[in-house]
Amino acid sequence: MTTDALDTSLLDRTVAAVRAEASSWSATPLVERIALLERLQPRVVARAAEIAGAGSRAKGYGPDSPWVAEDWIGGPWALVQNTAALLHVLRRIAAGRDPLDGGRVREEDGRTRVDVFPATGWDTLLLNGFKAQVWMRPGVTAEQARAGAASGYRGRRSEPAVALVLGAGNVAAITALDILHKLYVEGQVVIAKMNPVNSYLRPHFEYVFADFVERGWLRFVDGGAAEGGYLTRHDGVDAVHVTGSDRTHDAIMWGTDEDAGRRRHEDLPLIAKPFSSELGGVSPCIVAPGPWSAADFRFQAEHIVTSKMNNSGHNCIASQILVLPREWDGTERLLDEIRKVLRELPSRADYYPGAADRLASVRAAHPSAETHGDGCRLLVPDIADHDDLLVTDEVFGSALGAVRLPGASPEAFLRHAVDFANDTLPGTLGATLIVHPRTEKAHRDAVRSAVADLRYGTLGVNCWSGVGFLLGFTPWGAFPGHTRQDIGSGIGFVHNAFMLEDIEKTVIRAPFAPAPRGLVTGAPSLSPRPPYFVTHRTALTTVERLTRFTAAPSLTKLHALFAAALRG
């Protein structure tokens, strides 16, 4: 479609209307901004069941399916949790306090790190044992990190501007969270173009963001690549954020005609305005050898399958390559447990456009690939060629490959694994490292080096890195260093409730084993099996209650919430 076939007049009017209110948003006092978020929370809860139901229908399963829990987690709960994170920080500022408590910023091993989670007492109670730390870029001092936090609310106001958010089609909350980031962190009014895959969410978002729409600070538009392309080049749009693939970015930045390659080579972009992006890649899950029990193998198999099968693998952060120790006697046992979990899961299909073709490509490259469950869960248990499709390309579907690397000791294996993840796998959005507490205690320097050396925007230690997308306090984006000519997993961070600057990465830690078994492994916590696990038997009830609790915390809600979580 050419721009001549577009209703450009409607798009022009939309841009003009939002631009006209940019100054009024910049002038909106902090107290009113807080009130707007406080009114948004109950609106999310009011539409939560409808938002989740719309997702389940689009993905092909019924409202009573266990899979619906994912639509609550990646939709209503993610939105209320991120909103709550922003409210926590903004209320501190409104009360005359610094965004960060004094003890949250520290210098360790020559680097400045900021403890961002848990941020509240409720966080400690609900996700006991989960911790997140933001590592600042080398050279940033603790004083600079504190001064940079939420600087837009402490004397350095941003200029009025219009941002275009090109929405993602896979996870419901992504577009909404990008809107919140642009409004509250970067201070820009927003035009949000819905992705055609989930444009059914538009009326729900317009209801949730009604206050912002009515004031002209936010407008939603529909359309595909033509509408998106027109808006990115519009003179009235000052900045662009996109969630998608590197191909999407390159099409916008360099075009798709015969001159696209030349433009890219000569760095002659079609647009030169600020452009941030979250674009995915091939995410690894690295498993260090250790003294695992039978229960450990089962729990971590559920963990790994969750990181792959959540949303049928249609996540930029889905684990695609399992990096295993070749010499560890637990490797085959872990793979056997993964097979069992894959077979036991309820039926579902890969729904995202193009998934069937991508999975067919995996089958063509691996005729002996294992098929489990409903026929679209593929496992390739031993990839020897590092030019393999699963190693080089993001499949964005329910296919998992395993690469076995040498190393008779945890030190040797982790060195190989880090080099492989950094230098062979494309993308730097997120990685997961699974390590037994006793292994970490016995090989502390090796694990510390692995955590420091992995070049990923979010690293989850005994925690799927995708959890970083959900928490709000944890900045979300690729490891710094990509350029528009070599975009990789993107440029910039979103979410980031503390509004930190000069971020390198986030490191999230979670218990290796659930309560009470953590006492045996040497890392005790009060956390049961996480409700985002695809094997959690009461996930839907738990997350429904968690969403309502997060929007309006109350001691009276805790008993029912904990009861559902423990039954899982």
Side-chain angles (χ1 to χ4, degrees), residues 82-442:
N82 275 259
T83 305
L86 277 172
L87 280 169
H88 170 76
V89 176
L90 295 176
R91 285 167 177 160
R92 287 182 61 88
I93 297 170
R97 303 165 67 189
D98 287 338
L100 295 164
D101 293 327
R104 289 190 177 275
V105 185
R106 65 190 68 188
E107 294 187 9
E108 300 176 7
D109 300 327
R111 298 289 300 278
T112 298
R113 306 175 188 180
V114 182
D115 297 324
V116 296
F117 192 88
T120 70
W122 296 124
D123 296 335
T124 302
L125 186 63
L126 296 176
L127 287 173
N128 190 260
F130 284 70
K131 298 179 180 180
Q133 191 176 68
V134 174
W135 291 33
M136 310 307 289
R137 296 195 191 194
V140 176
T141 66
E143 183 179 354
Q144 289 170 331
R146 291 190 193 95
S151 61
Y153 289 91
R154 298 190 297 153
R156 197 187 74 191
R157 300 303 296 268
S158 58
E159 292 296 319
V162 176
L164 170 66
V165 168
L166 297 175
N170 57 331
V171 176
I174 292 178
T175 302
L177 299 185
D178 290 343
I179 290 168
L180 283 178
H181 177 86
K182 283 294 185 181
L183 284 166
Y184 278 86
V185 179
E186 299 191 18
Q188 300 167 347
V189 291
V190 179
I191 300 166
K193 191 195 79 65
M194 298 298 298
N195 192 292
V197 177
N198 61 6
S199 59
Y200 55 82
L201 292 170
R202 176 176 172 172
H204 303 298
F205 287 166
E206 288 179 328
Y207 173 82
V208 168
F209 287 97
D211 286 343
F212 299 87
V213 174
E214 289 170 4
R215 297 287 293 273
W217 299 324
L218 170 64
R219 287 287 187 275
F220 291 91
V221 299
D222 292 321
E227 287 80 2
Y230 181 78
L231 288 169
T232 59
R233 296 187 293 273
H234 200 290
D235 289 340
V237 170
D238 301 299
V240 179
H241 179 77
V242 59
T243 300
S245 70
D246 55 354
R247 295 180 301 278
T248 302
H249 168 274
D250 288 347
I252 294 170
M253 190 64 63
W254 313 112
T256 57
D257 59 15
E258 59 185 14
D259 288 329
R262 177 188 59 80
R263 292 190 198 99
R264 180 173 176 176
H265 177 72
E266 297 176 5
D267 195 18
L268 299 171
L270 294 174
I271 62 171
K273 60 191 68 174
F275 197 117
S276 57
S277 52
E278 189 262 87
L279 306 174
V282 176
S283 297
C285 177
I286 300 169
V287 180
W292 291 23
S293 68
D296 294 334
F297 281 104
R298 173 66 190 195
F299 180 78
Q300 293 302 339
E302 295 177 12
H303 182 191
I304 292 164
V305 171
T306 293
S307 73
K308 172 76 273 181
M309 283 301 301
N310 178 279
N311 201 31
S312 292
H314 305 316
N315 293 325
C316 292
I317 198 64
S319 294
Q320 183 165 306
I321 291 294
L322 188 57
V323 184
L324 298 170
R326 187 180 297 160
E327 285 87 4
W328 184 39
D329 59 5
T331 288
E332 291 302 330
R333 188 169 182 181
L334 178 59
L335 286 168
D336 283 342
E337 289 295 335
I338 288 171
R339 293 179 177 103
K340 291 177 185 177
V341 177
L342 288 171
R343 289 195 294 266
E344 293 168 3
L345 292 178
S347 178
R348 77 186 301 181
D350 282 28
Y351 70 89
Y352 208 81
D357 291 339
R358 292 190 295 273
L359 291 179
S361 296
V362 175
R363 292 189 183 95
H366 296 280
S368 59
E370 299 176 14
T371 301
H372 296 283
D374 47 28
C376 64
R377 300 169 197 162
L378 303 183
L379 175 65
V380 181
D382 193 359
I383 296 174
D385 183 1
H386 290 182
D387 291 327
D388 189 279
L389 170 68
L390 281 168
V391 174
T392 61
D393 295 289
E394 183 181 10
V395 172
F396 212 68
S398 54
L400 176 66
V403 169
R404 304 168 195 230
L405 298 179
S409 66
E411 288 91 345
F413 168 73
L414 285 172
R415 283 197 300 271
H416 286 295
V418 170
D419 290 344
F420 171 76
N422 284 342
D423 302 333
T424 301
L425 298 180
T428 65
L429 184 62
T432 300
L433 171 63
I434 299 175
V435 55
H436 194 287
R438 290 207 290 271
T439 300
E440 181 167 8
K441 183 178 180 180

